[in-house]
């Protein structure tokens, strides 16, 4: 097999990269160790920055999102028994769109296959080779047989636990991370959400987030222990905590819990995001705690930069944008990290040794929900900083 860009991973980053390259007349092949059904069914954060929703439309893959996605003009932040509305539309003239990541993946897979794209699902033993030469290779096993893709470049879009990042030679990467002393218990419930838009709730028993996937489908999250045992959360306890943490600001209707799982909370960045002809994008290079849902948005920003850089290379043999890929992406990545950390530390309950920190934290929420200047900063980061 021979292609221009070999892509590891059929998540939002790998698929969008492949699609953008196709629009620019550049060939790619994707390998993915999971099945197509698995990729299309995995519930993940569902919040798109304004520009990402526009990118989907511009790239011709936004039709279903326009019909089924929910445009949200702002968010609620609840604390001390009151819900405060931050109106992004008024503050900064932007909105966000609620559309689950698995729907983005479903739409992109369908589109790549319709355009004749090559995606190998359920491959095993994927490895990347020779990326310090100009003939890198991806090897993998499919149906028991060894295969090799000879490519010009490799894009590692295979997530935090993928093979791409660990394939960098020893000593070429530096990792920066922070682990938080809590996790999120996420549930999907057949019930109407308590509001038309999201509620981020700070409560002395811990943070809770009230999100949604449809008029009768709620996506709800509760701050829990990082190593929480899901068996200790029978449905009745989940509802009790959700009612409590909503702090009486809205009425919450219970429904059948369709899914539950624990999300770990970690910030991680690796630098640089490139070695030779191997480029990493999205979760393969950086992960954020879920507060503010920056994960997929940062991945989309990476692949937009990468697709344009490949375009410059193939159109005009200009390799400067490729050489600058890591530097260009990391500026935005670190701002996304800062914002995700900031939202997380502002809204979660910590076991503070000193009540000073708790009082300071509440003052911060009070400030953000009453100062237009502070609210604008939150809104600008939440709805997505401008793409350079
Ligand atoms: C969702 C998840 C988030 O982490 C967030 O900040 C907002 C929304 C969601 O899954 O809907």
């Amino acid at each position: 097999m021979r292609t221009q860009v070999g892509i590891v991973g059929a998540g939002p980053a790998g698929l969008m990269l492949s699609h953008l390259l196709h629009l620019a007349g550049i060939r790619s092949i994707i390998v993915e160790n999971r099945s197509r059904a698995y990729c299309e069914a995995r519930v993940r954060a569902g919040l798109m920055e304004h520009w990402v929703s526009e990118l989907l439309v511009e790239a011709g893959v936004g039709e279903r999102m326009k019909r089924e996605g929910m445009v949200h003009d702002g968010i609620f932040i609840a604390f001390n028994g009151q819900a405060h509305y931050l109106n992004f539309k008024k503050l900064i003239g932007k909105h966000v769109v609620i559309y689950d990541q698995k729907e983005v993946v479903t739409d992109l897979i369908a589109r790549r296959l319709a355009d004749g794209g090559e995606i190998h699902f359920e491959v095993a033993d994927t490895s990347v080779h020779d990326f310090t030469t100009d003939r890198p290779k991806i090897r993998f096993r499919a149906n028991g047989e060894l295969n090799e893709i000879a490519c010009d470049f490799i894009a590692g879009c295979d997530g935090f636990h993928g093979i791409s990042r660990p394939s960098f030679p020893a000593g070429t990467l530096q990792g920066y991370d922070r682990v938080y002393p809590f996790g999120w218990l996420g549930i999907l419930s057949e019930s109407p959400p308590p509001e038309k838009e999201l509620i981020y709730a700070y409560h002395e028993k811990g943070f809770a987030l009230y999100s949604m996937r449809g008029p009768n489908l709620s996506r709800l999250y509760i701050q829990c222990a990082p190593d929480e045992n899901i068996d200790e959360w029978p449905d009745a306890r989940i509802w009790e905590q959700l009612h409590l943490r909503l702090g009486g600001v809205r009425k919450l209707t219970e429904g059948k819990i369709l899914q539950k799982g624990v999300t770990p909370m970690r910030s991680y960045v690796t630098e640089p995001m490139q070695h030779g002809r191997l480029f990493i994008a999205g979760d393969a290079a950086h992960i954020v705690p879920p507060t503010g849902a920056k994960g997929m948005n940062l991945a989309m920003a990476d692949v937009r930069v990468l697709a344009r850089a490949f375009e410059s290379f193939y159109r005009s043999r200009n390799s400067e944008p490729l050489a600058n890929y890591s530097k260009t992406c990391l500026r935005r990545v670190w701002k996304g990290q800062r914002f995700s950390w900031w939202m997380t530390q502002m809204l979660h309950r910590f076991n503070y040794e000193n009540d000073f920190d708790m009082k300071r934290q509440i003052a911060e929420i009070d400030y953000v929900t009453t100062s237009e200047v502070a609210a604008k900063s939150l809104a600008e980061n939440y709805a997505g900083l401008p793409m350079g």
Side-chain angles (χ1 to χ4, degrees), residues 43-47 98 100 184 198 200 209 211-213 219 221 289-294 343 382:
V43 180
R44 283 286 180 269
L47 189 139
I98 297 287
D100 201 289
W184 277 12
L198 272 52
Y200 288 80
L209 169 60
S211 183
M212 63 201 70
R213 291 295 178 269
R219 180 76 177 143
Y221 300 95
T291 334
K294 285 287 165 244
M343 284 282 279
Y382 192 99

PDB file of all heavy atoms in Angstrom, residues 43-47 98 100 184 198 200 209 211-213 219 221 289-294 343 382, ligand 1:
ATOM      1  N   VAL A  43     -19.991   7.301  23.569  1.00  0.00           N
ATOM      2  CA  VAL A  43     -20.465   8.630  24.000  1.00  0.00           C
ATOM      3  C   VAL A  43     -19.297   9.413  24.593  1.00  0.00           C
ATOM      4  O   VAL A  43     -18.592   8.923  25.457  1.00  0.00           O
ATOM      5  CB  VAL A  43     -21.603   8.515  25.047  1.00  0.00           C
ATOM      6  CG1 VAL A  43     -22.088   9.898  25.485  1.00  0.00           C
ATOM      7  CG2 VAL A  43     -22.765   7.711  24.493  1.00  0.00           C
ATOM      8  N   ARG A  44     -19.101  10.610  24.079  1.00  0.00           N
ATOM      9  CA  ARG A  44     -18.038  11.485  24.557  1.00  0.00           C
ATOM     10  C   ARG A  44     -18.619  12.878  24.729  1.00  0.00           C
ATOM     11  O   ARG A  44     -19.771  13.108  24.424  1.00  0.00           O
ATOM     12  CB  ARG A  44     -16.889  11.521  23.520  1.00  0.00           C
ATOM     13  CG  ARG A  44     -16.010  10.291  23.555  1.00  0.00           C
ATOM     14  CD  ARG A  44     -15.113  10.321  24.772  1.00  0.00           C
ATOM     15  NE  ARG A  44     -14.250   9.169  24.872  1.00  0.00           N
ATOM     16  CZ  ARG A  44     -14.539   8.051  25.512  1.00  0.00           C
ATOM     17  NH1 ARG A  44     -15.713   7.917  26.078  1.00  0.00           N
ATOM     18  NH2 ARG A  44     -13.673   7.063  25.580  1.00  0.00           N
ATOM     19  N   ALA A  45     -17.805  13.806  25.209  1.00  0.00           N
ATOM     20  CA  ALA A  45     -18.304  15.179  25.381  1.00  0.00           C
ATOM     21  C   ALA A  45     -18.920  15.652  24.068  1.00  0.00           C
ATOM     22  O   ALA A  45     -18.480  15.267  22.990  1.00  0.00           O
ATOM     23  CB  ALA A  45     -17.178  16.104  25.800  1.00  0.00           C
ATOM     24  N   GLY A  46     -19.914  16.485  24.196  1.00  0.00           N
ATOM     25  CA  GLY A  46     -20.679  16.842  22.997  1.00  0.00           C
ATOM     26  C   GLY A  46     -20.800  18.325  22.769  1.00  0.00           C
ATOM     27  O   GLY A  46     -21.857  18.805  22.390  1.00  0.00           O
ATOM     28  N   LEU A  47     -19.720  19.054  22.987  1.00  0.00           N
ATOM     29  CA  LEU A  47     -19.836  20.503  22.889  1.00  0.00           C
ATOM     30  C   LEU A  47     -18.832  21.059  21.891  1.00  0.00           C
ATOM     31  O   LEU A  47     -17.635  20.860  22.045  1.00  0.00           O
ATOM     32  CB  LEU A  47     -19.555  21.088  24.277  1.00  0.00           C
ATOM     33  CG  LEU A  47     -19.841  22.558  24.447  1.00  0.00           C
ATOM     34  CD1 LEU A  47     -20.484  22.775  25.803  1.00  0.00           C
ATOM     35  CD2 LEU A  47     -18.582  23.382  24.369  1.00  0.00           C
ATOM     36  N   ILE A  98     -24.285  21.819  20.777  1.00  0.00           N
ATOM     37  CA  ILE A  98     -24.270  20.519  21.447  1.00  0.00           C
ATOM     38  C   ILE A  98     -24.555  19.448  20.399  1.00  0.00           C
ATOM     39  O   ILE A  98     -25.631  19.427  19.779  1.00  0.00           O
ATOM     40  CB  ILE A  98     -25.351  20.461  22.560  1.00  0.00           C
ATOM     41  CG1 ILE A  98     -25.064  21.482  23.654  1.00  0.00           C
ATOM     42  CG2 ILE A  98     -25.463  19.055  23.142  1.00  0.00           C
ATOM     43  CD1 ILE A  98     -23.915  21.144  24.563  1.00  0.00           C
ATOM     44  N   ASP A 100     -23.038  15.328  19.940  1.00  0.00           N
ATOM     45  CA  ASP A 100     -22.080  14.368  20.520  1.00  0.00           C
ATOM     46  C   ASP A 100     -20.950  14.029  19.545  1.00  0.00           C
ATOM     47  O   ASP A 100     -21.175  13.908  18.343  1.00  0.00           O
ATOM     48  CB  ASP A 100     -22.799  13.087  20.955  1.00  0.00           C
ATOM     49  CG  ASP A 100     -21.983  12.318  21.986  1.00  0.00           C
ATOM     50  OD1 ASP A 100     -20.928  11.732  21.617  1.00  0.00           O
ATOM     51  OD2 ASP A 100     -22.366  12.324  23.164  1.00  0.00           O
ATOM     52  N   TRP A 184     -15.255  12.318  37.272  1.00  0.00           N
ATOM     53  CA  TRP A 184     -16.658  12.597  36.978  1.00  0.00           C
ATOM     54  C   TRP A 184     -17.373  11.278  36.746  1.00  0.00           C
ATOM     55  O   TRP A 184     -16.890  10.443  35.982  1.00  0.00           O
ATOM     56  CB  TRP A 184     -16.815  13.409  35.694  1.00  0.00           C
ATOM     57  CG  TRP A 184     -16.639  14.878  35.813  1.00  0.00           C
ATOM     58  CD1 TRP A 184     -16.134  15.576  36.870  1.00  0.00           C
ATOM     59  CD2 TRP A 184     -16.969  15.835  34.784  1.00  0.00           C
ATOM     60  NE1 TRP A 184     -16.132  16.916  36.559  1.00  0.00           N
ATOM     61  CE2 TRP A 184     -16.634  17.102  35.296  1.00  0.00           C
ATOM     62  CE3 TRP A 184     -17.494  15.744  33.497  1.00  0.00           C
ATOM     63  CZ2 TRP A 184     -16.815  18.278  34.553  1.00  0.00           C
ATOM     64  CZ3 TRP A 184     -17.680  16.901  32.764  1.00  0.00           C
ATOM     65  CH2 TRP A 184     -17.344  18.156  33.293  1.00  0.00           C
ATOM     66  N   LEU A 198     -26.961  24.434  29.310  1.00  0.00           N
ATOM     67  CA  LEU A 198     -26.228  23.693  30.341  1.00  0.00           C
ATOM     68  C   LEU A 198     -26.189  24.418  31.689  1.00  0.00           C
ATOM     69  O   LEU A 198     -26.123  25.640  31.726  1.00  0.00           O
ATOM     70  CB  LEU A 198     -24.780  23.474  29.881  1.00  0.00           C
ATOM     71  CG  LEU A 198     -24.500  22.232  29.041  1.00  0.00           C
ATOM     72  CD1 LEU A 198     -25.427  22.121  27.854  1.00  0.00           C
ATOM     73  CD2 LEU A 198     -23.052  22.185  28.605  1.00  0.00           C
ATOM     74  N   TYR A 200     -23.756  24.455  35.031  1.00  0.00           N
ATOM     75  CA  TYR A 200     -22.570  24.052  35.781  1.00  0.00           C
ATOM     76  C   TYR A 200     -22.859  24.428  37.229  1.00  0.00           C
ATOM     77  O   TYR A 200     -23.042  25.620  37.527  1.00  0.00           O
ATOM     78  CB  TYR A 200     -21.332  24.810  35.298  1.00  0.00           C
ATOM     79  CG  TYR A 200     -20.842  24.379  33.921  1.00  0.00           C
ATOM     80  CD1 TYR A 200     -21.445  24.838  32.760  1.00  0.00           C
ATOM     81  CD2 TYR A 200     -19.755  23.505  33.795  1.00  0.00           C
ATOM     82  CE1 TYR A 200     -20.995  24.438  31.507  1.00  0.00           C
ATOM     83  CE2 TYR A 200     -19.292  23.108  32.540  1.00  0.00           C
ATOM     84  CZ  TYR A 200     -19.924  23.579  31.403  1.00  0.00           C
ATOM     85  OH  TYR A 200     -19.473  23.188  30.172  1.00  0.00           O
ATOM     86  N   LEU A 209     -22.793  18.727  36.569  1.00  0.00           N
ATOM     87  CA  LEU A 209     -23.065  19.367  35.276  1.00  0.00           C
ATOM     88  C   LEU A 209     -24.308  18.753  34.660  1.00  0.00           C
ATOM     89  O   LEU A 209     -24.429  17.529  34.583  1.00  0.00           O
ATOM     90  CB  LEU A 209     -21.857  19.186  34.346  1.00  0.00           C
ATOM     91  CG  LEU A 209     -22.045  19.567  32.874  1.00  0.00           C
ATOM     92  CD1 LEU A 209     -22.408  21.029  32.696  1.00  0.00           C
ATOM     93  CD2 LEU A 209     -20.763  19.262  32.085  1.00  0.00           C
ATOM     94  N   SER A 211     -26.132  18.510  31.338  1.00  0.00           N
ATOM     95  CA  SER A 211     -26.063  18.707  29.895  1.00  0.00           C
ATOM     96  C   SER A 211     -27.130  17.833  29.242  1.00  0.00           C
ATOM     97  O   SER A 211     -27.982  17.249  29.937  1.00  0.00           O
ATOM     98  CB  SER A 211     -24.664  18.383  29.382  1.00  0.00           C
ATOM     99  OG  SER A 211     -24.558  18.631  27.997  1.00  0.00           O
ATOM    100  N   MET A 212     -27.100  17.731  27.922  1.00  0.00           N
ATOM    101  CA  MET A 212     -28.194  17.045  27.231  1.00  0.00           C
ATOM    102  C   MET A 212     -27.755  16.514  25.874  1.00  0.00           C
ATOM    103  O   MET A 212     -26.717  16.904  25.349  1.00  0.00           O
ATOM    104  CB  MET A 212     -29.333  18.032  27.021  1.00  0.00           C
ATOM    105  CG  MET A 212     -28.925  19.185  26.125  1.00  0.00           C
ATOM    106  SD  MET A 212     -29.937  20.645  26.307  1.00  0.00           S
ATOM    107  CE  MET A 212     -29.490  21.223  27.922  1.00  0.00           C
ATOM    108  N   ARG A 213     -28.569  15.624  25.338  1.00  0.00           N
ATOM    109  CA  ARG A 213     -28.375  15.166  23.972  1.00  0.00           C
ATOM    110  C   ARG A 213     -29.656  15.329  23.142  1.00  0.00           C
ATOM    111  O   ARG A 213     -29.652  15.117  21.951  1.00  0.00           O
ATOM    112  CB  ARG A 213     -27.928  13.698  23.946  1.00  0.00           C
ATOM    113  CG  ARG A 213     -26.524  13.470  24.477  1.00  0.00           C
ATOM    114  CD  ARG A 213     -25.466  14.129  23.615  1.00  0.00           C
ATOM    115  NE  ARG A 213     -24.127  13.929  24.163  1.00  0.00           N
ATOM    116  CZ  ARG A 213     -23.544  14.769  25.022  1.00  0.00           C
ATOM    117  NH1 ARG A 213     -24.166  15.845  25.420  1.00  0.00           N
ATOM    118  NH2 ARG A 213     -22.333  14.526  25.461  1.00  0.00           N
ATOM    119  N   ARG A 219     -27.601  14.342  29.655  1.00  0.00           N
ATOM    120  CA  ARG A 219     -26.221  13.894  29.898  1.00  0.00           C
ATOM    121  C   ARG A 219     -25.790  14.604  31.178  1.00  0.00           C
ATOM    122  O   ARG A 219     -25.681  15.837  31.201  1.00  0.00           O
ATOM    123  CB  ARG A 219     -25.347  14.277  28.706  1.00  0.00           C
ATOM    124  CG  ARG A 219     -23.906  13.864  28.857  1.00  0.00           C
ATOM    125  CD  ARG A 219     -23.692  12.390  28.621  1.00  0.00           C
ATOM    126  NE  ARG A 219     -22.284  12.040  28.693  1.00  0.00           N
ATOM    127  CZ  ARG A 219     -21.835  10.898  29.218  1.00  0.00           C
ATOM    128  NH1 ARG A 219     -22.673  10.005  29.700  1.00  0.00           N
ATOM    129  NH2 ARG A 219     -20.549  10.641  29.231  1.00  0.00           N
ATOM    130  N   TYR A 221     -23.380  14.821  34.859  1.00  0.00           N
ATOM    131  CA  TYR A 221     -22.090  14.453  35.442  1.00  0.00           C
ATOM    132  C   TYR A 221     -22.055  14.868  36.917  1.00  0.00           C
ATOM    133  O   TYR A 221     -22.546  15.939  37.270  1.00  0.00           O
ATOM    134  CB  TYR A 221     -20.952  15.178  34.724  1.00  0.00           C
ATOM    135  CG  TYR A 221     -20.822  14.888  33.247  1.00  0.00           C
ATOM    136  CD1 TYR A 221     -21.399  15.722  32.296  1.00  0.00           C
ATOM    137  CD2 TYR A 221     -20.096  13.788  32.792  1.00  0.00           C
ATOM    138  CE1 TYR A 221     -21.258  15.481  30.925  1.00  0.00           C
ATOM    139  CE2 TYR A 221     -19.942  13.536  31.429  1.00  0.00           C
ATOM    140  CZ  TYR A 221     -20.525  14.386  30.501  1.00  0.00           C
ATOM    141  OH  TYR A 221     -20.379  14.141  29.155  1.00  0.00           O
ATOM    142  N   PRO A 289      -8.877  18.019  31.437  1.00  0.00           N
ATOM    143  CA  PRO A 289     -10.014  17.574  32.243  1.00  0.00           C
ATOM    144  C   PRO A 289     -11.291  18.011  31.508  1.00  0.00           C
ATOM    145  O   PRO A 289     -11.247  18.985  30.751  1.00  0.00           O
ATOM    146  CB  PRO A 289      -9.828  18.316  33.566  1.00  0.00           C
ATOM    147  CG  PRO A 289      -8.972  19.492  33.248  1.00  0.00           C
ATOM    148  CD  PRO A 289      -8.118  19.093  32.086  1.00  0.00           C
ATOM    149  N   PRO A 290     -12.409  17.314  31.700  1.00  0.00           N
ATOM    150  CA  PRO A 290     -13.566  17.561  30.829  1.00  0.00           C
ATOM    151  C   PRO A 290     -14.293  18.896  31.022  1.00  0.00           C
ATOM    152  O   PRO A 290     -15.044  19.304  30.137  1.00  0.00           O
ATOM    153  CB  PRO A 290     -14.505  16.393  31.145  1.00  0.00           C
ATOM    154  CG  PRO A 290     -14.089  15.918  32.490  1.00  0.00           C
ATOM    155  CD  PRO A 290     -12.632  16.187  32.609  1.00  0.00           C
ATOM    156  N   THR A 291     -14.075  19.580  32.129  1.00  0.00           N
ATOM    157  CA  THR A 291     -14.809  20.828  32.400  1.00  0.00           C
ATOM    158  C   THR A 291     -14.574  21.858  31.290  1.00  0.00           C
ATOM    159  O   THR A 291     -13.452  22.353  31.142  1.00  0.00           O
ATOM    160  CB  THR A 291     -14.354  21.437  33.744  1.00  0.00           C
ATOM    161  OG1 THR A 291     -13.868  20.408  34.593  1.00  0.00           O
ATOM    162  CG2 THR A 291     -15.476  22.207  34.399  1.00  0.00           C
ATOM    163  N   GLY A 292     -15.628  22.157  30.545  1.00  0.00           N
ATOM    164  CA  GLY A 292     -15.489  23.093  29.434  1.00  0.00           C
ATOM    165  C   GLY A 292     -15.354  22.387  28.097  1.00  0.00           C
ATOM    166  O   GLY A 292     -15.391  23.036  27.047  1.00  0.00           O
ATOM    167  N   ALA A 293     -15.175  21.061  28.134  1.00  0.00           N
ATOM    168  CA  ALA A 293     -15.216  20.218  26.923  1.00  0.00           C
ATOM    169  C   ALA A 293     -14.273  20.670  25.809  1.00  0.00           C
ATOM    170  O   ALA A 293     -14.673  20.818  24.665  1.00  0.00           O
ATOM    171  CB  ALA A 293     -16.653  20.135  26.402  1.00  0.00           C
ATOM    172  N   LYS A 294     -13.034  20.870  26.126  1.00  0.00           N
ATOM    173  CA  LYS A 294     -12.087  21.348  25.113  1.00  0.00           C
ATOM    174  C   LYS A 294     -11.449  20.232  24.271  1.00  0.00           C
ATOM    175  O   LYS A 294     -10.810  20.513  23.254  1.00  0.00           O
ATOM    176  CB  LYS A 294     -10.961  22.152  25.787  1.00  0.00           C
ATOM    177  CG  LYS A 294     -11.389  23.527  26.237  1.00  0.00           C
ATOM    178  CD  LYS A 294     -11.564  24.469  25.064  1.00  0.00           C
ATOM    179  CE  LYS A 294     -12.311  25.726  25.408  1.00  0.00           C
ATOM    180  NZ  LYS A 294     -13.591  25.890  24.717  1.00  0.00           N
ATOM    181  N   MET A 343     -11.469  26.359  34.821  1.00  0.00           N
ATOM    182  CA  MET A 343     -12.878  25.973  35.032  1.00  0.00           C
ATOM    183  C   MET A 343     -12.959  24.862  36.087  1.00  0.00           C
ATOM    184  O   MET A 343     -13.834  24.862  36.944  1.00  0.00           O
ATOM    185  CB  MET A 343     -13.503  25.446  33.733  1.00  0.00           C
ATOM    186  CG  MET A 343     -13.849  26.503  32.727  1.00  0.00           C
ATOM    187  SD  MET A 343     -15.382  27.393  33.116  1.00  0.00           S
ATOM    188  CE  MET A 343     -16.622  26.243  32.492  1.00  0.00           C
ATOM    189  N   TYR A 382     -14.622  29.732  26.249  1.00  0.00           N
ATOM    190  CA  TYR A 382     -15.579  28.629  26.181  1.00  0.00           C
ATOM    191  C   TYR A 382     -16.071  28.411  24.748  1.00  0.00           C
ATOM    192  O   TYR A 382     -16.113  27.295  24.247  1.00  0.00           O
ATOM    193  CB  TYR A 382     -16.759  28.934  27.111  1.00  0.00           C
ATOM    194  CG  TYR A 382     -17.692  27.782  27.374  1.00  0.00           C
ATOM    195  CD1 TYR A 382     -17.592  27.027  28.541  1.00  0.00           C
ATOM    196  CD2 TYR A 382     -18.702  27.447  26.475  1.00  0.00           C
ATOM    197  CE1 TYR A 382     -18.451  25.983  28.798  1.00  0.00           C
ATOM    198  CE2 TYR A 382     -19.570  26.399  26.713  1.00  0.00           C
ATOM    199  CZ  TYR A 382     -19.450  25.666  27.887  1.00  0.00           C
ATOM    200  OH  TYR A 382     -20.301  24.622  28.130  1.00  0.00           O
TER     201      TYR A 382
HETATM  202  C1  LIG B   1     -20.509  18.147  28.006  1.00  0.00           C
HETATM  203  C2  LIG B   1     -19.335  17.757  28.609  1.00  0.00           C
HETATM  204  C3  LIG B   1     -18.533  18.690  29.198  1.00  0.00           C
HETATM  205  O1  LIG B   1     -17.379  18.333  29.774  1.00  0.00           O
HETATM  206  C4  LIG B   1     -18.885  20.033  29.228  1.00  0.00           C
HETATM  207  O2  LIG B   1     -18.097  20.929  29.840  1.00  0.00           O
HETATM  208  C5  LIG B   1     -20.054  20.418  28.631  1.00  0.00           C
HETATM  209  C6  LIG B   1     -20.863  19.464  28.018  1.00  0.00           C
HETATM  210  C7  LIG B   1     -21.380  17.131  27.376  1.00  0.00           C
HETATM  211  O3  LIG B   1     -20.971  15.975  27.283  1.00  0.00           O
HETATM  212  O4  LIG B   1     -22.496  17.476  26.972  1.00  0.00           O
END
